[in-house]
Amino acid sequence: AALVVSAVVLLALAAAFAGAVFYVDKGAIVSDVQPIVQILQTRTWWLMLFVTVIGAPVAEEFLFRGFLFGVLRTSAAGFAGTALVTAFIWSTLHASYSLYGMTAIFLIGLYLAWVREKTGSLITPLVCHAVYNGLIVLVLASAPDTIFQLS
């Protein structure tokens, strides 16, 4: 139950943030998703799905909410410092995104650290990450092309 609730909460929070950003600066969202949309329009779309739903969540969660979280959590940084540091470093991996996109990644990183802390498991943040990425790919793959136009 905690797994499903955690994933639904992440999706709701991310949707609210993305909706606000879309309202304030549609161009930022469009530029952030454009590379994904372009890949989804090729014959290698399945590779994007694999990388975003399996590869990135496994690699990033093991590194950030697994190894780095585990090392820092036992330090003087405590939970708050650990969450901030891991979320910040994780967001810098997404430096090609707009400021809004990097902020979203940072906030998601804080949430995933909180989920990791509360559940005591890496499985829940990993599944949340995979579901989030998978939903983004499915939405982008099924969205009309006109949504990605700035005019």
Side-chain angles (χ1 to χ4, degrees):
L3 184 79
V4 172
V5 170
S6 296
V8 168
V9 168
L10 173 60
L11 294 175
L13 293 172
F17 185 82
V21 171
F22 193 80
Y23 179 75
V24 172
D25 187 358
K26 180 181 177 182
I29 296 265
V30 170
S31 69
D32 286 347
V33 301
Q34 202 61 43
I36 298 168
V37 170
Q38 289 171 347
I39 292 171
L40 290 174
Q41 293 171 343
T42 69
R43 291 189 336 211
T44 58
W45 63 267
W46 58 271
L47 185 58
M48 173 59 75
L49 188 63
F50 176 80
V51 168
T52 57
V53 176
I54 297 171
V58 169
E60 293 174 4
E61 292 311 313
F62 271 93
L63 178 60
F64 292 100
R65 262 64 65 185
F67 173 72
L68 194 55
F69 185 96
V71 169
L72 292 175
R73 184 60 183 95
T74 59
S75 74
F79 169 69
T82 297
L84 288 168
V85 168
T86 57
F88 176 77
I89 296 172
W90 185 49
S91 69
T92 63
L93 285 182
H94 302 82
S96 64
Y97 291 177
S98 68
L99 181 58
Y100 295 113
M102 287 185 66
T103 301
I105 297 297
F106 178 77
L107 294 173
I108 291 168
L110 290 178
Y111 177 77
L112 294 175
W114 180 80
V115 167
R116 166 74 164 84
E117 178 79 3
K118 291 298 175 191
T119 64
S121 170
L122 191 57
I123 297 299
T124 306
L126 197 152
V127 170
C128 286
H129 191 160
V131 167
Y132 172 79
N133 283 6
L135 186 62
I136 288 174
V137 170
L138 290 175
V139 165
L140 293 176
S142 60
D145 291 339
T146 56
I147 200 167
F148 305 111
Q149 297 171 357
L150 292 175
S151 55

